[in-house]
Amino acid sequence: MKKIIKRGIIFYNEDKPLATELYFEYKEFLEEKGMEILPKSRIKDGDFAVVIGGDGTLLRASKTIIENENIDVFAVNAGSLGFLTEIKKEEFKNTFERYLEGKVDKEERVLLKLKYNDEIFHVLNDVVVVKKRALSKVIRLKVMVKDKMLFTLKADGIIVSTPTGSTAYSLSAGGPILLPDLEVMVITPLAPHNLTSRPIVLGNKEKVNISLLSDEDGEIIVDGDINRQIKKDSVLELYSCDKKIKLVLPENRDYYSVLHEKLKWNE
């Protein structure tokens, strides 16, 4: 039976004039299609979500979107690079028309869970641990996998990334590009003092513990936005999340073409 689509939520970057302009344009378009636009607080009642902005906008919106694991997400690029926001602004209306007809492809993106103290965070992109307010200073960390020692590290920091986040900070630090449908994570040291400390890819069913060995405090950054302080001997627990983000793909989308376009491999 064809899914009846009636209600949606729109997220947009209010600091970008283009995103604001597109918000009003798309809202009018959707209402003309008979869609009811809900407030973000009613995310669980939505059939779809439209996110207008750059990748950062989607990362922030994902913290709300994951409350409804059945919702379909249109990520519209009104930013610059846009690895996550793949739908071009001029493609949205046609993509939504095809969506109503059940003619779009979707891609599920895995998340990680981070447990620190009594808080749980859902991670779409990455978790970064660095020296607090002193990126030029090194930090000492211990990394365990399934209660087995992986390595100790003296470096500028460490990144634990999902496949979605593999093209972000991890890539700039020398980590591998992972296809987005893989259920793995990658651990990438940041400027390690030991040259044999290299990125490693693990199945995301593994449980990873990271503890701070340095006397000075460190900082945890989740998806480039959420910050927490970490003290000596504190432990971060990272493990797989049972929730996923379902992205609606633009027509004829090919991830290899995305890499060619975004990374300018054809130039």
Side-chain angles (χ1 to χ4, degrees):
M1 180 182 292
K2 186 176 178 180
K3 180 180 177 181
I4 299 174
I5 302 161
K6 291 185 177 180
R7 293 181 279 197
I9 295 91
I10 303 178
F11 300 81
Y12 69 103
N13 188 337
E14 298 179 21
D15 295 328
K16 294 192 178 212
L18 176 58
T20 302
E21 178 185 331
L22 291 173
Y23 162 74
F24 287 108
E25 179 183 336
Y26 293 171
K27 182 173 183 291
E28 181 180 3
F29 166 78
L30 292 168
E31 289 174 338
E32 287 175 353
K33 292 291 176 185
M35 302 296 115
E36 179 185 1
I37 305 303
L38 304 177
K40 298 171 188 176
S41 59
R42 291 186 60 192
I43 189 71
K44 290 184 179 179
D45 297 324
D47 301 304
F48 66 90
V50 181
V51 180
I52 309 167
D55 288 353
T57 307
L58 179 56
L59 291 173
R60 289 187 292 273
S62 70
K63 310 310 175 197
T64 301
I65 289 169
I66 57 169
E67 295 177 20
N68 182 347
E69 58 186 298
N70 295 314
I71 202 164
D72 298 317
V73 181
F74 294 81
V76 181
N77 187 6
S80 52
L81 193 58
F83 262 104
L84 287 171
T85 48
E86 289 187 37
I87 299 175
K88 297 176 182 177
K89 61 183 186 297
E90 61 272 15
E91 294 176 328
F92 169 71
K93 294 179 183 179
N94 179 60
T95 302
F96 192 81
E97 296 272 13
R98 294 175 57 251
Y99 171 68
L100 293 177
E101 296 169 1
K103 295 180 180 178
V104 295
D105 292 323
K106 303 171 192 177
E107 185 172 76
E108 292 187 336
R109 298 296 183 97
V110 298
L111 292 92
L112 294 173
K113 270 188 181 180
L114 166 65
K115 182 179 180 183
Y116 178 62
N117 291 336
D118 295 325
E119 291 187 279
I120 299 283
F121 304 95
H122 292 91
V123 182
L124 179 56
N125 237 26
D126 53 35
V127 175
V128 181
V129 184
V130 292
K131 179 72 75 175
K132 192 171 191 295
R133 294 193 179 89
L135 295 179
S136 61
K137 294 184 179 179
V138 298
I139 190 170
R140 292 178 59 242
L141 300 161
K142 179 173 70 174
V143 182
M144 307 279 290
V145 180
K146 282 187 176 178
D147 299 322
K148 306 288 186 183
M149 172 70 77
L150 182 61
F151 53 68
T152 56
L153 180 70
K154 188 176 182 182
D156 285 2
I158 196 170
I159 307 164
V160 183
S161 168
T162 66
T164 294
S166 71
T167 51
Y169 197 3
S170 176
L171 179 62
S172 68
I177 295 172
L178 304 174
L179 295 182
D181 58 350
L182 295 176
E183 298 202 1
V184 298
M185 69 178 90
V186 59
I187 300 176
T188 307
L190 274 171
H193 280 217
N194 184 342
L195 294 180
T196 61
S197 297
R198 297 298 182 190
I200 181 170
V201 178
L202 304 172
N204 71 344
K205 303 301 181 185
E206 308 282 11
K207 181 179 177 182
V208 175
N209 287 352
I210 300 174
S211 52
L212 179 65
L213 301 179
S214 303
D215 291 326
E216 297 180 47
D217 293 347
E219 185 174 19
I220 307 165
I221 306 166
V222 181
D223 281 345
D225 188 48
I226 301 169
N227 294 63
R228 292 293 185 271
Q229 185 174 325
I230 180 173
K231 295 183 176 295
K232 185 177 181 180
D233 297 326
S234 296
V235 178
L236 288 72
E237 297 179 27
L238 278 153
Y239 46 94
S240 65
C241 176
D242 56 359
K243 297 183 178 181
K244 296 181 180 180
I245 298 282
K246 288 196 299 184
L247 296 180
V248 175
L249 301 180
E251 192 171 10
N252 299 321
R253 183 269 206 182
D254 178 324
Y255 189 67
Y256 300 104
S257 297
V258 173
L259 293 176
H260 277 257
E261 178 185 351
K262 305 300 182 181
L263 299 177
K264 303 186 186 303
W265 283 353
N266 289 332
E267 294 184 7

